[in-house]
Amino acid sequence: MAGIGSGFVPTYTLRSARGSFGETKSLSQPARTRGHQRLTFVSNARRRCQLVASAAEERPERSQTQSEIDFAKLQFSEGNELSGMVFKPDAELAKAGPDESRARLAYSNACEEAINSQINVEFTAFYVYYALHAYFDRDTVALPGFADYFRKQAEEERDHAVKLMHYQNKRGGRVHLKPIAVPALHFHNEENSDAIYAMELALQLEKYVQMKLMEVWKVADRERDANMTDFIEDFLDMQVESIKEISDYVAQLKRVGTGHGVYHFDRVLADK
């Protein structure tokens, strides 16, 4: 072609990406300078890598700047922010034996003993109610409504005892069952029928359980155990309902007297 000779030097357009090596440019240079430009870019990239490596060596390790924090001694205040914390194991817990609870927290010995005492009270009520059930289930008495009512009351008291045992274990305490004292029962007397006697006995029993629960609540309140006071208050509410129900039954039985009135009352209990 005309105009092309040995003195012609071809040109190339070289583009570099935006960011790492500067703004996007169009460069028209002789072919012999292209290699020099590439070497310059590589040199800049290496220099950047060296700077990054140097900064990483100067940055201190996080583990060296962290300090252990004992949460048992830490005082939190409003606006106090904690970062980079390392949990420190409880030294006392590390020394605990195989039989010592790991779940126990702010649970005093007084509270533990109070729960064990209440377990005994609930099992005592369970025994008394089952004794009443067995009496009215006799063929010589044959009042199935009374028998079934006292059986349900016995099972309720047993469930309360089991709940207290579960709570004792949940708080890290130890359940210690105690001997159960069952009062002597005297169904045959000249003043009242056996039905009235049984209901009045049940009323005294429910009041006794209520008084014992209040003592347990006072122990928890004195020890400032908010969780335990809340737990016992549920039992107190149920006792109030039981006392009112049995009080009504005693009043109704005194109205109906003996004989057919007791039989009719037994039918009412059986339908509930």
Side-chain angles (χ1 to χ4, degrees), residues 8-58:
F8 176 75
V9 178
T11 60
Y12 299 89
T13 301
L14 180 64
R15 298 180 181 274
S16 62
R18 180 187 301 270
S20 300
F21 303 112
E23 299 179 354
T24 302
K25 297 180 179 179
S26 297
L27 303 175
S28 179
Q29 300 179 359
R32 64 176 178 271
T33 64
R34 182 182 180 188
H36 175 74
Q37 182 69 28
R38 181 181 300 167
L39 291 174
T40 302
F41 289 165
V42 172
S43 177
N44 290 338
R46 289 178 177 174
R47 185 179 297 108
R48 289 178 179 274
C49 292
Q50 292 174 355
L51 291 175
V52 171
S54 176
E57 292 176 356
E58 295 176 359

Side-chain angles (χ1 to χ4, degrees), residues 29-221:
Q29 300 179 359
R32 64 176 178 271
T33 64
R34 182 182 180 188
H36 175 74
Q37 182 69 28
R38 181 181 300 167
L39 291 174
T40 302
F41 289 165
V42 172
S43 177
N44 290 338
R46 289 178 177 174
R47 185 179 297 108
R48 289 178 179 274
C49 292
Q50 292 174 355
L51 291 175
V52 171
S54 176
E57 292 176 356
E58 295 176 359
R59 187 184 301 118
E61 294 292 336
R62 169 179 286 186
S63 59
Q64 297 176 356
T65 61
Q66 291 176 335
S67 60
E68 292 183 342
I69 297 176
D70 188 352
F71 281 89
K73 301 179 181 179
L74 187 62
Q75 298 293 331
F76 290 94
S77 60
E78 185 177 356
N80 181 24
E81 295 183 357
L82 302 174
S83 61
M85 297 182 296
V86 176
F87 288 91
K88 181 180 181 180
D90 190 342
E92 295 298 327
L93 185 60
K95 299 177 183 178
D99 294 331
E100 296 186 42
S101 173
R102 293 177 176 82
R104 189 159 187 154
L105 176 65
Y107 190 54
S108 68
N109 293 332
C111 288
E112 180 180 359
E113 176 59 28
I115 291 293
N116 279 328
S117 297
Q118 190 61 32
I119 291 172
N120 180 261
V121 170
E122 300 292 340
F123 273 130
T124 299
F126 162 75
Y127 259 50
V128 173
Y129 275 128
Y130 250 118
L132 295 176
H133 160 76
Y135 171 80
F136 287 100
D137 193 47
R138 295 177 186 175
D139 65 305
T140 55
V141 181
L143 291 174
F146 280 90
D148 190 58
Y149 173 76
F150 288 126
R151 178 187 60 79
K152 292 177 180 177
Q153 291 293 105
E155 292 175 351
E156 181 178 314
E157 300 301 332
R158 180 197 60 196
D159 291 343
H160 291 173
V162 172
K163 286 181 180 179
L164 288 164
M165 293 170 69
H166 287 324
Y167 182 79
Q168 184 78 291
N169 288 330
K170 186 186 297 184
R171 292 297 303 273
R174 292 295 177 262
V175 175
H176 297 290
L177 298 180
K178 303 177 181 181
I180 297 175
V182 180
L185 305 179
H186 304 284
F187 292 99
H188 302 288
N189 59 80
E190 298 178 355
E191 297 181 359
N192 295 315
S193 66
D194 51 1
I196 293 178
Y197 170 79
M199 279 297 175
E200 288 183 337
L201 178 62
L203 180 59
Q204 293 176 8
L205 185 61
E206 292 295 332
K207 289 183 176 180
Y208 171 73
V209 173
Q210 173 80 341
M211 291 175 60
K212 288 298 183 179
L213 282 169
M214 291 175 65
E215 291 177 5
V216 175
W217 186 93
K218 290 178 181 178
V219 172
D221 183 59

